[in-house]
Amino acid sequence: MVAIGTTIRDASADIELIGVTKTYDAKNVVIPPLSVALRPGEFTVILGPSGCGKSTLLQMIAGLERVSGGKILICDREVQDLEPKHRGCAMVFQNYALYPHMTVAENMAYSLKVAGIPKAERNERVAGVAKMLGLSDLLARKPAQLSGGQRQRVAIGRAIIREPGVLLFDEPLSNLDAQLRHDMRVELADLHRRIGATSVFVTHDQVEAMTLADRILILNKGRVEQFDTPKAIYHHPASVFVAKFIGAPPMNILQVTGDGSVLRLPDGQAVANYSGKGSFQLGIRPEDISVNAGGSIKARIRYREDLGSHEILETEIGCQQLRIATPFGVEIDTTSVLSLTFPRGRLHLFDGETGRAIPEAFGTAATTQSMKEYQ
Amino acid sequence: MFSHRWLPLLLVAPLMLLVVLFFYIPVFQAFYWSFFLEQPFGGGSQFVGLENFKRVLSDPEFWMAGWRTIVFMLTASLLAVVVPLMLAIAADRRIALSFPARNILVWPKGVAGASIGVVFAFLFNPFVGLMAPFNTLFPGAWNPGIDGTDAFITLVAAHVWSGIPFNFVILLAGLRSIPHTLTQAAAIDGAGPWRRIFDVQLPLIMPQLFLTFVLEFTESITSVFALIDTITKGGPGGSTTLLVYKIYVDGFSGFDLSGASTQTAILMVFVLLLAACQFFYLGRRINYER
Amino acid sequence: MVEKARSINITATLLLIIGIVYIVGPLYLTLSTASQSYEYMLRNGLAWIPGGELFANMSKVIHETRIPIQMLNSMTVAFSNALATCALSFLSAYAIVYFRIRWAGIVFALILATIMLPLDIRVITTYQVASNIFSPLNAVLDFTGLNSLIADIFGTPVHLELSVLDTRFGLVAPLVAHGTGTFLFRQFFLTLPKDLFKAARMDGAGPIRFLIDILLPLSRTSVASLFVLTFLSGWTQYLWPLVGASTPDMQTAVVGLARLVPDADGQVPDFPMIMAGAVLVSLVPLAMIALLQRYLVQGLVLSEK
């Protein structure tokens, strides 16, 4: 075992999970064997619904949870049996986990104090981090005297003061109000650019994931659904689960049947040409549907939501729900039947049973290089 | 909130009646009588000003009893907090014994002070108790019936035994209310389990620790009566006559009501001052929001 | 957590073993001695191993002492103490929290102050009050001069006398005059959502209905906790029952047990019988702890918050 202390200076670690599992008992499998690799300096967001195992995964990297099997490598070093302090990770917690009996300065300096770093150097580093985060005037306060956003900054400062190779974030923005969350997001992105530590950020908020991540790892019931850049995930979702999870409002998924040349809705309407046979799921984003008099697809409008910048139309098409986002100002009669066009290049086709994407169904590349590489 | 003229009055009346009758009047009477010379159980009374206080304060027995009370209070309550504290920290860990321990350590709550006094009097009996074999080897090494220190130790041991449940439960509840993530954060910051005791756990249960001390100070000098009466009867040679016991003996055996009331008044002022000091000096510094 | 905690876990285990031995040891030795004969004890001192005389010793206690009737007294005192404390504290806390009254704060402070000066400290004067609960009234009449007025008119001044010593009421009432229960319920009521009260009022519930239909069902566990706590406290009282009851048939079991130990020095007392008495006396509260531990622990924690 190589004891490297609590700081890894100037190093940005790569993290590799090899067949990592977490089970509580035979029936209670939180994470089936999972393998991913995170590149040095990369900002990875683990995204998934609550209970998908994303926090467990993060805690296993941190050493707060034991792995039930598999290996965790940080900088090519096996760390799964090392104590948290020997892994070179720092963490920002959801509820900040600041020590209520210590001042801001003491909170930030605590890890350095434990590591036996002399007081003078501690003070110097606290001052540096405080300046970077705009906390210089608050150093003598206790956490109870701070606002939510200030506590959040202290929690980040406490993590980065050690200059860790790996920064872990466990839903750190979920306790903030909407405005503050936006500001902190911008700040975090900026901070990551400056310090460049490999970062893993757990959230259930797709906006945070899309704006912060270099790559997003989408987790569903402990399994990786897709691991790719935000753009790729948005444009080429690897499964129905991902398609529905990303985008607001989410992608429409229609049950269709292929007869060898055309995909049809249950009511018989043809929606696209495709050579496959059997049942499929057809996906199209609300903003990709165009409403025009010449459209061949008919949908009955149920109600409309005016969002100012655009409108969301809730329609029904062959007993299935279809959401359409239209530019504001398009005159539509609520009682009428809409004529729609599904642009062929914007359609996504998924397997009827497994829900996995069928690549290049309509002539576009639905999977990316990185998918093959990391799955 | 409800607005009602007489219903709330009616609701608090029964308890307030009892509190006034059996708390405020006795407390008032103790102070009142300390300025009067009272004939025992009826008869007249005569205002004597500070005579009673002069008499009590010039009595060396009173000072001895007071001194012993303070010594007992400091040693017994310190042990009665520190022992449960260590047990609570141990039982807070995830180890096999922590579950049975959490159950067993509250049992003394069901055993009266006087009952455990009777038991300890037997266990520490020099002839048939635990120390009997030791005494045959070194005659006279242990005899609470003759040696005041031995008697004192027996009292402290019995008091700590009785005091474990309350303090253990309160301190354990305090430890368990420490947010899990705070422990995790400290672990990531590099603090091991030993260090976390001093840097995280103890500072965070200060409110509970403070409370147990405040209550234990009063508790140790009042509930000790049952132990004294069953173990030592104040002996040997008055070496375990604490103030509560002296007041009882003076009042119920010596029929010196004025003297007993005066001492009661002094003890009450002492207890109240003690609590006030603790609240103003200690309480202010360690109360913080979580 | 991935952590090497061997040293601390071993230390913790050792500590807990010592703690358990410290608690259980005296109880075990009580039981084992209670199951040996007087002669065995004279020969060997305290008994490390149980013998077969437990029931003989217990029957000696039951037949030769007043412990059985005293246990009934203890039962009555403990039960009435628990019941009265729960009921009166609940009502007063209800008035303090849910009524718009200006004096709520003062009343609460007055009740809470009782915690600072336990009964054992003020036993002398409490005894005086109990020996004639009208003495404060008499004093007021004397002091205000009303009595001389009455004496002028009716020939004699009013002097009422009613002693509650040697009565069950007298044994229980001073124990009930305590603030813990009110404090516990007040804290509990304050944790209940305020909208609950508003909703009940919108539904048309008045003070009594709200108390019975909403508050009481919600407070079930708090009531149970306080009940267990005050039952145990009533059972284990010593000083007050010692002075409050002067005849053996009115005294409680704990007092009776202490009286089993002869005052005079000299002969070694019949410890096996006394220990059998101690076992009997502690049986009810210990059984209660075993069965209702959850409520006891909760009560202890609640009474602190």
Side-chain angles (χ1 to χ4, degrees):
Chain A
M1 186 183 84
V2 195
I4 50 162
T6 52
T7 54
I8 304 175
R9 282 175 178 274
D10 309 324
S12 201
D14 64 309
I15 304 172
E16 210 177 336
L17 308 185
I18 304 169
V20 166
T21 65
K22 182 73 187 177
T23 52
Y24 289 111
D25 51 64
K27 278 184 192 162
N28 212 339
V29 179
V30 182
I31 295 179
L34 179 152
S35 302
V36 286
L38 316 182
R39 302 179 193 121
E42 192 176 39
F43 200 113
T44 305
V45 172
I46 305 180
L47 178 67
S50 56
C52 71
K54 57 189 189 299
S55 277
T56 312
L57 194 61
L58 191 77
Q59 303 226 332
M60 288 195 297
I61 297 172
L64 298 173
E65 288 267 7
R66 230 165 240 293
V67 297
S68 307
K71 287 178 184 170
I72 298 176
L73 274 66
I74 297 179
C75 275
D76 296 324
R77 201 163 55 99
E78 269 191 42
V79 298
Q80 71 272 11
D81 297 321
L82 295 187
E83 294 187 25
K85 61 176 164 181
H86 295 306
R87 296 193 184 195
C89 302
M91 187 157 169
V92 179
F93 291 85
Q94 180 173 11
N95 55 9
Y96 319 135
L98 299 177
Y99 309 116
H101 55 294
M102 297 184 193
T103 62
V104 168
E106 287 167 340
N107 261 289
M108 293 202 288
Y110 184 64
S111 63
L112 305 180
K113 190 177 162 192
V114 174
I117 289 170
K119 192 157 187 188
E121 191 189 336
R122 276 184 347 231
N123 290 343
E124 196 180 304
R125 280 166 76 171
V126 167
V129 170
K131 197 174 162 211
M132 176 156 60
L133 294 168
L135 292 169
S136 298
D137 298 334
L138 307 173
L139 286 176
R141 295 219 194 149
K142 294 267 174 75
Q145 299 164 297
L146 301 179
S147 70
Q150 290 167 336
R151 283 181 213 190
Q152 178 66 73
R153 279 200 187 90
V154 178
I156 294 169
R158 187 244 301 264
I160 62 175
I161 197 165
R162 293 159 49 189
E163 298 166 18
V166 176
L167 257 177
L168 307 172
F169 298 87
D170 190 3
E171 308 212 23
L173 306 182
S174 58
N175 284 351
L176 302 175
D177 62 50
Q179 181 59 42
L180 210 50
R181 200 174 330 174
H182 176 262
D183 296 347
M184 282 311 294
R185 218 162 58 210
V186 174
E187 240 174 274
L188 270 179
D190 184 46
L191 194 73
H192 177 248
R193 226 183 359 263
R194 274 189 286 167
I195 62 175
T198 309
S199 302
V200 184
F201 186 107
V202 159
T203 184
H204 61 264
D205 183 322
Q206 54 153 318
V207 179
E208 280 172 25
M210 296 296 281
T211 51
L212 283 171
D214 291 326
R215 284 194 298 166
I216 301 175
L217 189 148
I218 296 186
L219 217 54
N220 178 26
K221 293 177 187 138
R223 275 172 223 284
V224 178
E225 288 280 340
Q226 192 168 4
F227 184 31
D228 214 326
T229 61
K231 251 195 176 62
I233 282 183
Y234 182 83
H235 292 293
H236 308 290
S239 66
V240 170
F241 178 84
V242 175
K244 282 179 159 174
F245 202 74
I246 296 284
M251 184 186 283
N252 294 296
I253 301 292
L254 299 169
Q255 306 294 330
V256 294
T257 322
D259 59 9
S261 60
V262 182
L263 294 174
R264 290 183 188 281
L265 290 168
D267 67 351
Q269 283 200 68
V271 286
N273 295 326
Y274 183 61
S275 58
K277 273 190 177 181
S279 74
F280 298 96
Q281 300 180 70
L282 185 71
I284 182 154
R285 295 207 177 271
E287 58 269 33
D288 289 340
I289 301 172
S290 62
V291 182
N292 53 353
S296 61
I297 303 161
K298 306 291 178 198
R300 212 156 42 80
I301 191 157
R302 290 173 61 218
Y303 63 89
R304 51 200 282 183
E305 283 178 319
D306 188 345
L307 298 181
S309 60
H310 62 285
E311 274 183 307
I312 305 288
L313 306 176
E314 294 281 352
T315 66
E316 205 176 66
I317 180 165
C319 292
Q320 298 186 60
Q321 193 192 28
L322 184 74
R323 259 200 213 101
I324 307 167
T326 66
F328 185 66
V330 176
E331 279 303 318
I332 296 159
D333 180 2
T334 351
T335 54
S336 71
V337 169
L338 290 176
S339 300
L340 313 170
T341 311
F342 291 170
R344 187 170 170 82
R346 299 294 172 84
L347 285 173
H348 306 263
L349 195 64
F350 305 96
D351 188 283
E353 266 123 57
T354 63
R356 302 300 301 177
I358 296 168
E360 298 176 32
F362 304 106
T364 50
T367 46
T368 64
Q369 198 54 33
S370 57
M371 269 291 303
K372 283 167 196 152
E373 209 173 294
Y374 287 100
Q375 278 276 256
Chain B
M1 283 201 276
F2 292 114
S3 299
H4 208 286
R5 198 159 301 165
W6 48 266
L7 188 63
L9 267 174
L10 200 70
L11 292 171
V12 295
L15 187 65
M16 271 316 276
L17 190 72
L18 289 179
V19 165
V20 168
L21 194 59
F22 292 108
F23 182 83
Y24 282 100
I25 289 174
V27 167
F28 169 77
Q29 219 161 51
F31 286 100
Y32 180 79
W33 281 3
S34 60
F35 295 102
F36 285 81
L37 189 59
E38 190 81 9
Q39 305 304 321
F41 305 103
S45 60
Q46 182 195 351
F47 182 75
V48 291
L50 293 173
E51 263 329 291
N52 289 327
F53 286 96
K54 272 187 201 153
R55 183 162 60 93
V56 165
L57 293 178
S58 63
D59 177 8
E61 279 297 314
F62 169 80
W63 287 105
M64 286 304 294
W67 172 242
R68 285 184 211 113
T69 302
I70 290 175
V71 171
F72 182 84
M73 183 183 85
L74 292 178
T75 52
S77 55
L78 190 70
L79 281 172
V81 172
V82 170
V83 171
L85 174 65
M86 296 200 302
L87 291 171
I89 290 173
D92 188 41
R93 294 202 65 78
R94 271 200 227 161
I95 48 177
L97 260 187
S98 71
F99 187 74
R102 282 177 204 178
N103 185 312
I104 290 168
L105 292 177
V106 299
W107 289 2
K109 195 76 197 160
V111 180
S115 307
I116 201 60
V118 169
V119 169
F120 270 62
F122 164 60
L123 292 181
F124 287 91
N125 182 296
F127 308 111
V128 295
L130 284 168
M131 304 297 263
F134 191 64
N135 271 341
T136 49
L137 285 177
F138 308 97
W142 172 267
N143 193 343
I146 294 169
D147 187 327
T149 313
D150 293 355
F152 206 81
I153 291 171
T154 312
L155 283 184
V156 171
H159 176 79
V160 174
W161 194 91
S162 292
I164 281 183
F166 181 77
N167 296 334
F168 173 77
V169 167
I170 298 302
L171 295 171
L172 184 63
L175 287 170
R176 287 168 64 87
S177 71
I178 294 176
H180 193 51
T181 48
L182 222 50
T183 314
Q184 295 184 327
I188 288 192
D189 275 348
W194 285 107
R195 178 143 196 172
R196 288 201 299 268
I197 293 178
F198 298 98
D199 285 357
V200 177
Q201 291 182 306
L202 285 182
L204 287 182
I205 58 163
M206 270 305 155
Q208 283 83 5
L209 213 51
F210 167 68
L211 181 101
T212 50
F213 262 116
V214 171
L215 296 180
E216 186 56 45
F217 274 168
T218 318
E219 176 75 8
S220 65
I221 55 181
T222 56
S223 71
V224 73
F225 175 85
L227 301 177
I228 297 177
D229 199 45
T230 48
I231 300 179
T232 66
K233 300 264 180 219
S239 60
T240 55
T241 301
L242 270 54
L243 222 40
V244 260
Y245 196 70
K246 182 167 158 35
I247 290 171
Y248 166 79
V249 172
D250 288 356
F252 287 100
S253 309
F255 301 108
D256 175 12
L257 285 183
S258 301
S261 298
T262 310
Q263 294 176 65
T264 301
I266 294 171
L267 186 59
M268 283 180 182
V269 170
F270 175 70
V271 166
L272 292 176
L273 278 180
L274 201 65
C277 284
Q278 286 171 306
F279 269 109
F280 284 114
Y281 288 96
L282 289 169
R284 197 186 302 160
R285 255 188 291 164
I286 55 182
N287 271 327
Y288 45 73
E289 279 177 62
R290 262 232 178 117
Chain C
M1 199 151 32
V2 185
E3 187 163 73
K4 276 178 226 61
R6 249 180 97 83
S7 68
I8 195 168
N9 283 347
I10 289 172
T11 315
T13 304
L14 282 177
L15 268 174
L16 290 182
I17 289 173
I18 294 171
I20 289 171
V21 168
Y22 180 41
I23 297 301
V24 177
L27 297 178
Y28 170 77
L29 292 174
T30 305
L31 194 64
S32 61
T33 304
S35 63
Q36 295 289 7
S37 65
Y38 181 54
E39 292 72 28
Y40 175 92
M41 187 219 47
L42 282 185
R43 259 182 287 122
N44 304 311
L46 57 78
W48 289 100
I49 37 167
E53 301 287 313
L54 180 63
F55 291 104
N57 285 324
M58 279 192 174
S59 90
K60 225 193 290 183
V61 173
I62 289 168
H63 292 112
E64 293 172 20
T65 72
R66 299 300 184 89
I67 295 274
I69 187 150
Q70 288 167 338
M71 280 176 68
L72 268 177
N73 290 340
S74 287
M75 202 62 163
T76 319
V77 167
F79 190 79
S80 347
N81 179 34
L83 203 64
T85 304
C86 285
L88 301 191
S89 307
F90 192 88
L91 294 180
S92 57
Y94 175 54
I96 288 166
V97 175
Y98 285 103
F99 284 83
R100 192 176 291 116
I101 35 179
R102 249 170 297 153
W103 37 267
I106 299 166
V107 168
F108 182 59
L110 283 176
I111 293 175
L112 200 61
T114 58
I115 294 172
M116 301 308 299
L117 298 171
L119 182 54
D120 288 6
I121 293 188
R122 50 194 160 86
V123 68
I124 295 280
T125 42
T126 307
Y127 179 84
Q128 294 301 318
V129 171
S131 69
N132 180 11
I133 55 169
F134 286 120
S135 60
L137 186 66
N138 294 334
V140 168
L141 290 177
D142 285 339
F143 189 74
T144 55
L146 265 177
N147 242 348
S148 51
L149 202 72
I150 293 168
D152 285 346
I153 300 167
F154 296 102
T156 50
V158 176
H159 187 79
L160 297 170
E161 230 180 299
L162 177 64
S163 167
V164 295
L165 294 173
D166 278 318
T167 66
R168 297 223 158 75
F169 175 80
L171 282 180
V172 174
L175 305 183
V176 179
H178 198 269
T180 305
T182 310
F183 180 65
L184 188 147
F185 283 129
R186 177 182 172 269
Q187 299 304 93
F188 175 72
F189 292 162
L190 291 180
T191 63
L192 292 176
K194 288 210 164 57
D195 287 348
L196 203 65
F197 174 79
K198 290 178 195 155
R201 293 227 59 184
M202 296 305 287
D203 287 343
I208 305 290
R209 196 154 265 291
F210 177 70
L211 173 75
I212 294 171
D213 288 350
I214 316 270
L215 215 49
L216 209 52
L218 283 174
S219 315
R220 240 175 310 174
T221 51
S222 300
V223 172
S225 301
L226 184 66
F227 190 93
V228 173
L229 211 60
T230 41
F231 183 94
L232 292 174
S233 134
W235 187 281
T236 55
Q237 283 292 325
Y238 182 65
L239 181 51
W240 181 247
L242 179 69
V243 300
S246 52
T247 60
D249 284 349
M250 274 309 293
Q251 278 165 349
T252 57
V254 172
V255 176
L257 173 70
R259 289 285 159 91
L260 289 184
V261 186
D263 274 341
D265 281 342
Q267 206 196 358
V268 177
D270 187 355
F271 278 125
M273 184 193 84
I274 297 172
M275 291 302 118
V279 171
L280 275 176
V281 168
S282 308
L283 222 48
V284 173
L286 280 180
M288 191 156 190
I289 288 184
L291 291 175
L292 302 171
Q293 170 140 56
R294 191 165 69 87
Y295 295 111
L296 171 65
V297 170
Q298 198 182 355
L300 291 176
V301 174
L302 280 176
S303 65
E304 166 251 344
K305 277 196 175 138

